[in-house]
Amino acid sequence: MTTATYEICVDWDLNDNFTGLYDDISADVKSISYSRGKSDELGRAEVGQCSITLNNASGKYTPSNSAGDLYGLLLPKRPIRIRATYSAVTYNLFYGFIEEIIPHPHLSEQDCIITAVDGIDFLSRHDMATALYKDTLTGTIHGYILDDAGWSATMRTLDAGQDTVPYWYGQDVKARFAQEEIDDSEQGFSYIDGAGYFCFEDR
């Protein structure tokens, strides 16, 4: 019987890849839970969340362990990626950024819990300040919002949109709030997919 294999990687040195010596942490993973998308059919995409329990018997994932292989690299905001391969097909399950790394030195087992969130969390924190745009399609507005937030141009998939907005600008408002307003107007849907791409689907 064919079973799925999982790959969990962290870009510890922030070099935009997951090929470092210790980036693949799959062998140390004891359990994973994650969620992303919307909780009901008519809802909005919520912040994706992930929790990973690691075997930390060697102290590798203890930030204060100066003898650890990852000492100085166990910091928040490191990109983390979860993939599964089944029947030679690879599926992207979660892409986000580390929030916390918490060792749990129990007597019977040495664990470490890593929690992470996806890009919606970042967009929910970003304060916008854009120019005024006239007669702009909703998909283009999503692009302006992402540009203002510094979101990578290569990590977005945007439909053009069906509605043209006569006047639009983003000022003193969170990027995610502005996106949700555009989604409501368009009756579209925006979310972060399993590969970390921002996606906008028009109606």
Side-chain angles (χ1 to χ4, degrees):
M1 182 178 68
T2 303
T3 58
T5 58
Y6 292 86
E7 178 194 72
I8 301 89
C9 294
V10 178
D11 182 9
W12 294 116
D13 49 11
L14 289 177
N15 63 351
D16 297 322
N17 64 57
F18 296 93
T19 59
L21 180 60
Y22 300 107
D23 285 1
D24 188 341
I25 63 172
S26 307
D28 294 325
V29 172
K30 301 177 72 173
S31 66
I32 304 170
S33 64
Y34 72 92
S35 64
R36 58 182 179 83
K38 52 187 177 181
S39 57
D40 60 82
E41 186 174 351
L42 299 178
R44 297 167 173 171
E46 301 171 355
V47 176
Q49 301 186 56
C50 174
S51 178
I52 300 174
T53 301
L54 298 168
N55 179 350
N56 192 35
S58 67
K60 181 194 296 186
Y61 303 105
T62 301
S64 60
N65 179 16
S66 60
D69 295 325
L70 293 171
Y71 181 69
L73 300 176
L74 296 164
L75 299 169
K77 306 306 178 186
R78 266 38 183 179
I80 186 167
R81 181 184 73 189
I82 302 174
R83 288 177 168 179
T85 300
Y86 180 76
S87 296
V89 179
T90 298
Y91 300 90
N92 295 299
L93 303 180
F94 183 88
Y95 184 102
F97 303 89
I98 290 176
E99 271 207 313
E100 290 185 311
I101 301 174
I102 305 175
H104 290 278
H106 302 294
L107 291 176
S108 58
E109 54 186 358
Q110 306 291 314
D111 289 343
C112 178
I113 308 296
I114 290 179
T115 59
V117 292
D118 71 7
I120 289 182
D121 179 75
F122 167 73
L123 294 168
S124 299
R125 299 172 187 266
H126 176 73
D127 291 308
M128 295 179 55
T130 74
L132 173 66
Y133 298 98
K134 296 174 60 178
D135 300 325
T136 310
L137 286 167
T138 51
T140 302
I141 292 175
H142 267 296
Y144 290 149
I145 295 171
L146 294 173
D147 290 343
D148 185 77
W151 192 276
S152 170
T154 62
M155 294 193 68
R156 60 180 77 172
T157 303
L158 307 176
D159 285 352
Q162 302 296 315
D163 288 347
T164 298
V165 180
Y167 296 94
W168 180 89
Y169 71 100
Q171 188 72 37
D172 296 329
V173 65
K174 301 298 185 184
R176 186 57 188 163
F177 180 80
Q179 291 171 337
E180 291 174 344
E181 284 194 321
I182 293 299
D183 290 349
D184 290 345
S185 171
E186 168 72 34
Q187 297 181 15
F189 181 57
S190 62
Y191 60 97
I192 305 296
D193 70 10
Y197 281 64
F198 180 89
C199 302
F200 168 61
E201 299 176 358
D202 63 29
R203 67 173 178 272

